[in-house]
Amino acid sequence: MSRAPVELSAEQDSALDLLRSGENVFLTGGAGSGKSFLIRHYMKELDSKEMPILASTGAAAVLLGGRTFHSFFGLGIMEGGPDATFERASKDKRLMTRLRTVEGVIIDEISMIPGQALMIAEALSQRARESKLPWGGMRIIAVGDFAQLPPVTQTGQRDWCFLNQVWENSGFQNVLLSHNQRVSENLFLDILSDVRHGSVSPRVREFLNDHVKEHDEDHPGTRLFPRKINAEKFNQKKLDEINDEEVTIDSIYFGSEKHIEMLMKAAPVPVKLVLKLGCRVMFLQNDPQKRWVNGTRGYITDIATDKIVVKKDNGREVQVDKTSFAVQDAEGNIMASVIQFPLTLAYATTIHKSQGATLDDLWCDLSSLWEPGHAYVALSRLRSSEGLHLIGWNPRSIIVDNKVLQFYKSLNGI
């Protein structure tokens, strides 16, 4: 049976035309605007050897089935600063060959790549390709939203890559997806827009106050915590409350010791998955057969050695098989893989880890966030404001970096 063609919106269609044009492209837009969906659609037309997709973090690379930006460009942890990193990497013959032979790269979650890393990557591309053209003539497609998660920087100043001269030199054609595919409720869309801009407007105050509730720990909604330890504690507490036997499913690892260690840190699945019949779980990836997406939740109705049955919320029971998550080296070879069910306990997760997921219900405490975009990422996971339960909030938690606002103003819209 042939599959029906995927329907793209009008703005996604014109964005796809630009992606096909051969230009350097910056694809951006708010949460839920379909950036990842569009890139996945476009990548079906590409040879991943000629145009690999690079992730900003190891965890994202494992989910994407790609490589990290830092490993692809041989940057490592950039020890000794830009000059030392460039000198070290430029002596790597395999790196130079790799940069010469690709047509270009797609950089996902560009907001998390520091400007310094972008600058060294471009210099290495020019060296490898013996050309002073931007990126030595290599094509760059950058995807992401600077109003979401910022780059990790050691100093107080955030090293946004759009502030680096390399960004301007790259001559990006900018594509701003403005239509939210996830949310259709006008007031909620306005609230998300205000929070994205860092604006604690009267309507934001009223809206957030209306959604503050006493924490009902028995409510099935997912809790989003800013810190990992709080999410883990809450998951364990809820699992302990179920009067049934714990089932422990060991993750099975293959590969070299060094790469297995990296995979243990980066893979979305734990070393041991501990479940009970009746516990709530969340799916960690999109199913190729479309039975679930990243963020779909439900509860376990059966556990066997090689399969788990999950009754989806407001949906049918599905059989879940184990799947493989892998970490690749800079050349794209699989160096380690892990086999495990693509499930995690769904009582709680972190705001960082929720990025990309769609939720129907969430509980969140917005009282003491510290990072730009944190509050926006949390709120924008929802399909509808009906599913929002706030344990508390503070205007100081709604943060945006003014440089990001200025940057989007220069693109004629945010």
PDB file of all heavy atoms in Angstrom, residues 6 8 12-25 38-39 41-46 51 103 139 141 175:
ATOM      1  N   VAL A   6       3.003  13.562   2.210  1.00  0.00           N
ATOM      2  CA  VAL A   6       2.901  14.398   3.407  1.00  0.00           C
ATOM      3  C   VAL A   6       2.449  15.793   2.987  1.00  0.00           C
ATOM      4  O   VAL A   6       2.973  16.373   2.039  1.00  0.00           O
ATOM      5  CB  VAL A   6       4.279  14.491   4.114  1.00  0.00           C
ATOM      6  CG1 VAL A   6       4.189  15.409   5.327  1.00  0.00           C
ATOM      7  CG2 VAL A   6       4.732  13.100   4.535  1.00  0.00           C
ATOM      8  N   LEU A   8       2.366  19.614   3.308  1.00  0.00           N
ATOM      9  CA  LEU A   8       3.103  20.738   3.877  1.00  0.00           C
ATOM     10  C   LEU A   8       2.229  21.978   3.799  1.00  0.00           C
ATOM     11  O   LEU A   8       1.439  22.132   2.868  1.00  0.00           O
ATOM     12  CB  LEU A   8       4.402  20.989   3.105  1.00  0.00           C
ATOM     13  CG  LEU A   8       5.483  19.899   3.135  1.00  0.00           C
ATOM     14  CD1 LEU A   8       6.676  20.330   2.303  1.00  0.00           C
ATOM     15  CD2 LEU A   8       5.942  19.592   4.546  1.00  0.00           C
ATOM     16  N   GLN A  12       5.669  26.223   4.656  1.00  0.00           N
ATOM     17  CA  GLN A  12       6.654  25.134   4.636  1.00  0.00           C
ATOM     18  C   GLN A  12       7.055  24.797   3.199  1.00  0.00           C
ATOM     19  O   GLN A  12       8.220  24.497   2.921  1.00  0.00           O
ATOM     20  CB  GLN A  12       6.082  23.889   5.328  1.00  0.00           C
ATOM     21  CG  GLN A  12       6.058  24.005   6.851  1.00  0.00           C
ATOM     22  CD  GLN A  12       5.380  22.819   7.502  1.00  0.00           C
ATOM     23  OE1 GLN A  12       4.424  22.261   6.956  1.00  0.00           O
ATOM     24  NE2 GLN A  12       5.856  22.431   8.667  1.00  0.00           N
ATOM     25  N   ASP A  13       6.071  24.866   2.295  1.00  0.00           N
ATOM     26  CA  ASP A  13       6.343  24.616   0.873  1.00  0.00           C
ATOM     27  C   ASP A  13       7.356  25.599   0.301  1.00  0.00           C
ATOM     28  O   ASP A  13       8.294  25.214  -0.395  1.00  0.00           O
ATOM     29  CB  ASP A  13       5.039  24.739   0.069  1.00  0.00           C
ATOM     30  CG  ASP A  13       4.601  23.397  -0.489  1.00  0.00           C
ATOM     31  OD1 ASP A  13       5.460  22.513  -0.615  1.00  0.00           O
ATOM     32  OD2 ASP A  13       3.403  23.245  -0.787  1.00  0.00           O
ATOM     33  N   SER A  14       7.164  26.891   0.615  1.00  0.00           N
ATOM     34  CA  SER A  14       8.104  27.878   0.068  1.00  0.00           C
ATOM     35  C   SER A  14       9.464  27.758   0.757  1.00  0.00           C
ATOM     36  O   SER A  14      10.499  27.988   0.146  1.00  0.00           O
ATOM     37  CB  SER A  14       7.543  29.306   0.135  1.00  0.00           C
ATOM     38  OG  SER A  14       7.486  29.729   1.457  1.00  0.00           O
ATOM     39  N   ALA A  15       9.476  27.345   2.042  1.00  0.00           N
ATOM     40  CA  ALA A  15      10.747  27.103   2.730  1.00  0.00           C
ATOM     41  C   ALA A  15      11.481  25.934   2.076  1.00  0.00           C
ATOM     42  O   ALA A  15      12.709  25.978   1.902  1.00  0.00           O
ATOM     43  CB  ALA A  15      10.495  26.804   4.208  1.00  0.00           C
ATOM     44  N   LEU A  16      10.733  24.907   1.687  1.00  0.00           N
ATOM     45  CA  LEU A  16      11.337  23.744   1.028  1.00  0.00           C
ATOM     46  C   LEU A  16      11.976  24.142  -0.302  1.00  0.00           C
ATOM     47  O   LEU A  16      13.073  23.674  -0.645  1.00  0.00           O
ATOM     48  CB  LEU A  16      10.276  22.656   0.824  1.00  0.00           C
ATOM     49  CG  LEU A  16      10.764  21.313   0.294  1.00  0.00           C
ATOM     50  CD1 LEU A  16      11.782  20.668   1.239  1.00  0.00           C
ATOM     51  CD2 LEU A  16       9.591  20.356   0.071  1.00  0.00           C
ATOM     52  N   ASP A  17      11.311  25.030  -1.034  1.00  0.00           N
ATOM     53  CA  ASP A  17      11.894  25.528  -2.295  1.00  0.00           C
ATOM     54  C   ASP A  17      13.248  26.178  -2.048  1.00  0.00           C
ATOM     55  O   ASP A  17      14.193  25.986  -2.814  1.00  0.00           O
ATOM     56  CB  ASP A  17      10.953  26.552  -2.965  1.00  0.00           C
ATOM     57  CG  ASP A  17       9.736  25.881  -3.589  1.00  0.00           C
ATOM     58  OD1 ASP A  17       9.785  24.648  -3.780  1.00  0.00           O
ATOM     59  OD2 ASP A  17       8.741  26.579  -3.856  1.00  0.00           O
ATOM     60  N   LEU A  18      13.336  26.968  -0.977  1.00  0.00           N
ATOM     61  CA  LEU A  18      14.603  27.638  -0.667  1.00  0.00           C
ATOM     62  C   LEU A  18      15.667  26.621  -0.247  1.00  0.00           C
ATOM     63  O   LEU A  18      16.837  26.734  -0.630  1.00  0.00           O
ATOM     64  CB  LEU A  18      14.384  28.678   0.437  1.00  0.00           C
ATOM     65  CG  LEU A  18      15.499  29.708   0.622  1.00  0.00           C
ATOM     66  CD1 LEU A  18      15.850  30.440  -0.663  1.00  0.00           C
ATOM     67  CD2 LEU A  18      15.104  30.720   1.689  1.00  0.00           C
ATOM     68  N   LEU A  19      15.263  25.607   0.523  1.00  0.00           N
ATOM     69  CA  LEU A  19      16.213  24.556   0.922  1.00  0.00           C
ATOM     70  C   LEU A  19      16.762  23.832  -0.309  1.00  0.00           C
ATOM     71  O   LEU A  19      17.913  23.414  -0.336  1.00  0.00           O
ATOM     72  CB  LEU A  19      15.538  23.544   1.858  1.00  0.00           C
ATOM     73  CG  LEU A  19      15.207  24.045   3.273  1.00  0.00           C
ATOM     74  CD1 LEU A  19      14.329  23.039   4.007  1.00  0.00           C
ATOM     75  CD2 LEU A  19      16.476  24.313   4.076  1.00  0.00           C
ATOM     76  N   ARG A  20      15.929  23.706  -1.327  1.00  0.00           N
ATOM     77  CA  ARG A  20      16.359  23.017  -2.558  1.00  0.00           C
ATOM     78  C   ARG A  20      17.202  23.909  -3.473  1.00  0.00           C
ATOM     79  O   ARG A  20      17.728  23.443  -4.479  1.00  0.00           O
ATOM     80  CB  ARG A  20      15.126  22.552  -3.337  1.00  0.00           C
ATOM     81  CG  ARG A  20      14.399  21.379  -2.702  1.00  0.00           C
ATOM     82  CD  ARG A  20      13.052  21.178  -3.383  1.00  0.00           C
ATOM     83  NE  ARG A  20      12.379  19.955  -2.934  1.00  0.00           N
ATOM     84  CZ  ARG A  20      11.081  19.745  -3.038  1.00  0.00           C
ATOM     85  NH1 ARG A  20      10.285  20.694  -3.548  1.00  0.00           N
ATOM     86  NH2 ARG A  20      10.549  18.617  -2.618  1.00  0.00           N
ATOM     87  N   SER A  21      17.294  25.197  -3.120  1.00  0.00           N
ATOM     88  CA  SER A  21      17.906  26.168  -4.042  1.00  0.00           C
ATOM     89  C   SER A  21      19.433  26.121  -4.090  1.00  0.00           C
ATOM     90  O   SER A  21      20.047  26.708  -4.957  1.00  0.00           O
ATOM     91  CB  SER A  21      17.487  27.594  -3.642  1.00  0.00           C
ATOM     92  OG  SER A  21      18.139  27.941  -2.415  1.00  0.00           O
ATOM     93  N   GLY A  22      20.056  25.457  -3.134  1.00  0.00           N
ATOM     94  CA  GLY A  22      21.528  25.434  -3.109  1.00  0.00           C
ATOM     95  C   GLY A  22      22.143  26.573  -2.316  1.00  0.00           C
ATOM     96  O   GLY A  22      23.353  26.652  -2.158  1.00  0.00           O
ATOM     97  N   GLU A  23      21.300  27.478  -1.792  1.00  0.00           N
ATOM     98  CA  GLU A  23      21.803  28.609  -0.994  1.00  0.00           C
ATOM     99  C   GLU A  23      22.137  28.165   0.437  1.00  0.00           C
ATOM    100  O   GLU A  23      21.676  27.123   0.893  1.00  0.00           O
ATOM    101  CB  GLU A  23      20.735  29.711  -0.925  1.00  0.00           C
ATOM    102  CG  GLU A  23      20.387  30.357  -2.256  1.00  0.00           C
ATOM    103  CD  GLU A  23      21.549  31.132  -2.854  1.00  0.00           C
ATOM    104  OE1 GLU A  23      22.318  31.746  -2.097  1.00  0.00           O
ATOM    105  OE2 GLU A  23      21.698  31.101  -4.093  1.00  0.00           O
ATOM    106  N   ASN A  24      22.888  29.014   1.156  1.00  0.00           N
ATOM    107  CA  ASN A  24      23.008  28.842   2.606  1.00  0.00           C
ATOM    108  C   ASN A  24      21.706  29.338   3.230  1.00  0.00           C
ATOM    109  O   ASN A  24      21.267  30.451   2.911  1.00  0.00           O
ATOM    110  CB  ASN A  24      24.192  29.643   3.156  1.00  0.00           C
ATOM    111  CG  ASN A  24      25.518  29.009   2.792  1.00  0.00           C
ATOM    112  OD1 ASN A  24      25.559  27.895   2.283  1.00  0.00           O
ATOM    113  ND2 ASN A  24      26.607  29.709   3.047  1.00  0.00           N
ATOM    114  N   VAL A  25      21.110  28.534   4.109  1.00  0.00           N
ATOM    115  CA  VAL A  25      19.782  28.854   4.640  1.00  0.00           C
ATOM    116  C   VAL A  25      19.795  28.808   6.157  1.00  0.00           C
ATOM    117  O   VAL A  25      20.391  27.910   6.757  1.00  0.00           O
ATOM    118  CB  VAL A  25      18.712  27.852   4.102  1.00  0.00           C
ATOM    119  CG1 VAL A  25      17.358  28.083   4.760  1.00  0.00           C
ATOM    120  CG2 VAL A  25      18.592  27.947   2.583  1.00  0.00           C
ATOM    121  N   LEU A  38      10.009  19.703   8.765  1.00  0.00           N
ATOM    122  CA  LEU A  38      10.404  20.127   7.419  1.00  0.00           C
ATOM    123  C   LEU A  38      11.791  19.594   7.065  1.00  0.00           C
ATOM    124  O   LEU A  38      12.023  19.118   5.945  1.00  0.00           O
ATOM    125  CB  LEU A  38      10.384  21.664   7.334  1.00  0.00           C
ATOM    126  CG  LEU A  38      10.707  22.265   5.974  1.00  0.00           C
ATOM    127  CD1 LEU A  38       9.726  21.799   4.907  1.00  0.00           C
ATOM    128  CD2 LEU A  38      10.705  23.796   6.040  1.00  0.00           C
ATOM    129  N   ILE A  39      12.724  19.663   8.013  1.00  0.00           N
ATOM    130  CA  ILE A  39      14.086  19.179   7.744  1.00  0.00           C
ATOM    131  C   ILE A  39      14.082  17.671   7.503  1.00  0.00           C
ATOM    132  O   ILE A  39      14.759  17.175   6.596  1.00  0.00           O
ATOM    133  CB  ILE A  39      15.050  19.577   8.894  1.00  0.00           C
ATOM    134  CG1 ILE A  39      15.388  21.070   8.782  1.00  0.00           C
ATOM    135  CG2 ILE A  39      16.326  18.758   8.893  1.00  0.00           C
ATOM    136  CD1 ILE A  39      16.154  21.485   7.520  1.00  0.00           C
ATOM    137  N   HIS A  41      11.663  15.968   6.263  1.00  0.00           N
ATOM    138  CA  HIS A  41      11.063  15.822   4.932  1.00  0.00           C
ATOM    139  C   HIS A  41      12.122  16.101   3.855  1.00  0.00           C
ATOM    140  O   HIS A  41      12.260  15.332   2.894  1.00  0.00           O
ATOM    141  CB  HIS A  41       9.887  16.806   4.809  1.00  0.00           C
ATOM    142  CG  HIS A  41       9.117  16.678   3.536  1.00  0.00           C
ATOM    143  ND1 HIS A  41       8.139  15.713   3.363  1.00  0.00           N
ATOM    144  CD2 HIS A  41       9.188  17.365   2.371  1.00  0.00           C
ATOM    145  CE1 HIS A  41       7.643  15.841   2.137  1.00  0.00           C
ATOM    146  NE2 HIS A  41       8.258  16.836   1.528  1.00  0.00           N
ATOM    147  N   TYR A  42      12.881  17.187   4.017  1.00  0.00           N
ATOM    148  CA  TYR A  42      13.903  17.573   3.043  1.00  0.00           C
ATOM    149  C   TYR A  42      15.033  16.543   2.975  1.00  0.00           C
ATOM    150  O   TYR A  42      15.550  16.239   1.902  1.00  0.00           O
ATOM    151  CB  TYR A  42      14.455  18.955   3.423  1.00  0.00           C
ATOM    152  CG  TYR A  42      15.618  19.424   2.577  1.00  0.00           C
ATOM    153  CD1 TYR A  42      15.513  19.507   1.188  1.00  0.00           C
ATOM    154  CD2 TYR A  42      16.836  19.780   3.159  1.00  0.00           C
ATOM    155  CE1 TYR A  42      16.572  19.935   0.409  1.00  0.00           C
ATOM    156  CE2 TYR A  42      17.900  20.208   2.397  1.00  0.00           C
ATOM    157  CZ  TYR A  42      17.771  20.286   1.021  1.00  0.00           C
ATOM    158  OH  TYR A  42      18.834  20.693   0.249  1.00  0.00           O
ATOM    159  N   MET A  43      15.393  15.993   4.140  1.00  0.00           N
ATOM    160  CA  MET A  43      16.525  15.054   4.172  1.00  0.00           C
ATOM    161  C   MET A  43      16.266  13.767   3.402  1.00  0.00           C
ATOM    162  O   MET A  43      17.196  13.087   2.992  1.00  0.00           O
ATOM    163  CB  MET A  43      16.907  14.731   5.620  1.00  0.00           C
ATOM    164  CG  MET A  43      17.711  15.845   6.258  1.00  0.00           C
ATOM    165  SD  MET A  43      18.073  15.490   7.979  1.00  0.00           S
ATOM    166  CE  MET A  43      19.173  14.098   7.810  1.00  0.00           C
ATOM    167  N   LYS A  44      15.005  13.445   3.181  1.00  0.00           N
ATOM    168  CA  LYS A  44      14.684  12.249   2.378  1.00  0.00           C
ATOM    169  C   LYS A  44      15.214  12.391   0.955  1.00  0.00           C
ATOM    170  O   LYS A  44      15.433  11.410   0.259  1.00  0.00           O
ATOM    171  CB  LYS A  44      13.165  12.020   2.343  1.00  0.00           C
ATOM    172  CG  LYS A  44      12.608  11.546   3.677  1.00  0.00           C
ATOM    173  CD  LYS A  44      11.099  11.409   3.608  1.00  0.00           C
ATOM    174  CE  LYS A  44      10.508  11.181   4.997  1.00  0.00           C
ATOM    175  NZ  LYS A  44       9.087  11.479   5.056  1.00  0.00           N
ATOM    176  N   GLU A  45      15.395  13.648   0.506  1.00  0.00           N
ATOM    177  CA  GLU A  45      15.875  13.890  -0.857  1.00  0.00           C
ATOM    178  C   GLU A  45      17.406  13.886  -0.938  1.00  0.00           C
ATOM    179  O   GLU A  45      17.966  13.963  -2.019  1.00  0.00           O
ATOM    180  CB  GLU A  45      15.386  15.268  -1.348  1.00  0.00           C
ATOM    181  CG  GLU A  45      13.884  15.434  -1.287  1.00  0.00           C
ATOM    182  CD  GLU A  45      13.463  16.882  -1.613  1.00  0.00           C
ATOM    183  OE1 GLU A  45      14.312  17.675  -2.067  1.00  0.00           O
ATOM    184  OE2 GLU A  45      12.273  17.194  -1.412  1.00  0.00           O
ATOM    185  N   LEU A  46      18.071  13.856   0.230  1.00  0.00           N
ATOM    186  CA  LEU A  46      19.519  14.054   0.267  1.00  0.00           C
ATOM    187  C   LEU A  46      20.276  12.755   0.471  1.00  0.00           C
ATOM    188  O   LEU A  46      19.749  11.791   1.011  1.00  0.00           O
ATOM    189  CB  LEU A  46      19.895  15.005   1.419  1.00  0.00           C
ATOM    190  CG  LEU A  46      19.254  16.385   1.440  1.00  0.00           C
ATOM    191  CD1 LEU A  46      19.670  17.119   2.712  1.00  0.00           C
ATOM    192  CD2 LEU A  46      19.663  17.191   0.220  1.00  0.00           C
ATOM    193  N   MET A  51      25.554  15.397   2.606  1.00  0.00           N
ATOM    194  CA  MET A  51      24.961  16.487   3.376  1.00  0.00           C
ATOM    195  C   MET A  51      24.545  15.955   4.746  1.00  0.00           C
ATOM    196  O   MET A  51      23.358  15.776   5.038  1.00  0.00           O
ATOM    197  CB  MET A  51      23.743  17.026   2.613  1.00  0.00           C
ATOM    198  CG  MET A  51      23.281  18.378   3.043  1.00  0.00           C
ATOM    199  SD  MET A  51      24.162  19.696   2.212  1.00  0.00           S
ATOM    200  CE  MET A  51      23.487  21.100   3.082  1.00  0.00           C
ATOM    201  N   GLU A 103      29.287  18.000   0.446  1.00  0.00           N
ATOM    202  CA  GLU A 103      28.714  19.151  -0.266  1.00  0.00           C
ATOM    203  C   GLU A 103      28.403  20.267   0.737  1.00  0.00           C
ATOM    204  O   GLU A 103      28.540  21.446   0.446  1.00  0.00           O
ATOM    205  CB  GLU A 103      27.436  18.695  -0.965  1.00  0.00           C
ATOM    206  CG  GLU A 103      26.742  19.794  -1.754  1.00  0.00           C
ATOM    207  CD  GLU A 103      25.314  19.411  -2.124  1.00  0.00           C
ATOM    208  OE1 GLU A 103      25.057  18.232  -2.412  1.00  0.00           O
ATOM    209  OE2 GLU A 103      24.467  20.313  -2.111  1.00  0.00           O
ATOM    210  N   ARG A 139      28.243  24.219   1.658  1.00  0.00           N
ATOM    211  CA  ARG A 139      26.898  24.743   1.889  1.00  0.00           C
ATOM    212  C   ARG A 139      26.480  24.517   3.351  1.00  0.00           C
ATOM    213  O   ARG A 139      26.707  23.447   3.908  1.00  0.00           O
ATOM    214  CB  ARG A 139      25.912  24.025   0.957  1.00  0.00           C
ATOM    215  CG  ARG A 139      24.527  24.619   1.082  1.00  0.00           C
ATOM    216  CD  ARG A 139      23.536  24.012   0.134  1.00  0.00           C
ATOM    217  NE  ARG A 139      22.281  24.717   0.323  1.00  0.00           N
ATOM    218  CZ  ARG A 139      21.081  24.165   0.212  1.00  0.00           C
ATOM    219  NH1 ARG A 139      20.956  22.907  -0.119  1.00  0.00           N
ATOM    220  NH2 ARG A 139      19.994  24.876   0.405  1.00  0.00           N
ATOM    221  N   ILE A 141      23.247  24.728   6.095  1.00  0.00           N
ATOM    222  CA  ILE A 141      21.846  24.939   6.462  1.00  0.00           C
ATOM    223  C   ILE A 141      21.800  24.917   7.988  1.00  0.00           C
ATOM    224  O   ILE A 141      22.144  23.907   8.615  1.00  0.00           O
ATOM    225  CB  ILE A 141      20.923  23.848   5.876  1.00  0.00           C
ATOM    226  CG1 ILE A 141      20.917  23.936   4.340  1.00  0.00           C
ATOM    227  CG2 ILE A 141      19.502  23.979   6.424  1.00  0.00           C
ATOM    228  CD1 ILE A 141      20.157  22.822   3.657  1.00  0.00           C
ATOM    229  N   VAL A 175      14.664  31.993   6.624  1.00  0.00           N
ATOM    230  CA  VAL A 175      13.290  31.510   6.487  1.00  0.00           C
ATOM    231  C   VAL A 175      12.682  31.444   7.875  1.00  0.00           C
ATOM    232  O   VAL A 175      13.173  30.711   8.732  1.00  0.00           O
ATOM    233  CB  VAL A 175      13.233  30.086   5.883  1.00  0.00           C
ATOM    234  CG1 VAL A 175      11.788  29.677   5.663  1.00  0.00           C
ATOM    235  CG2 VAL A 175      13.999  30.013   4.601  1.00  0.00           C
TER     236      VAL A 175
END
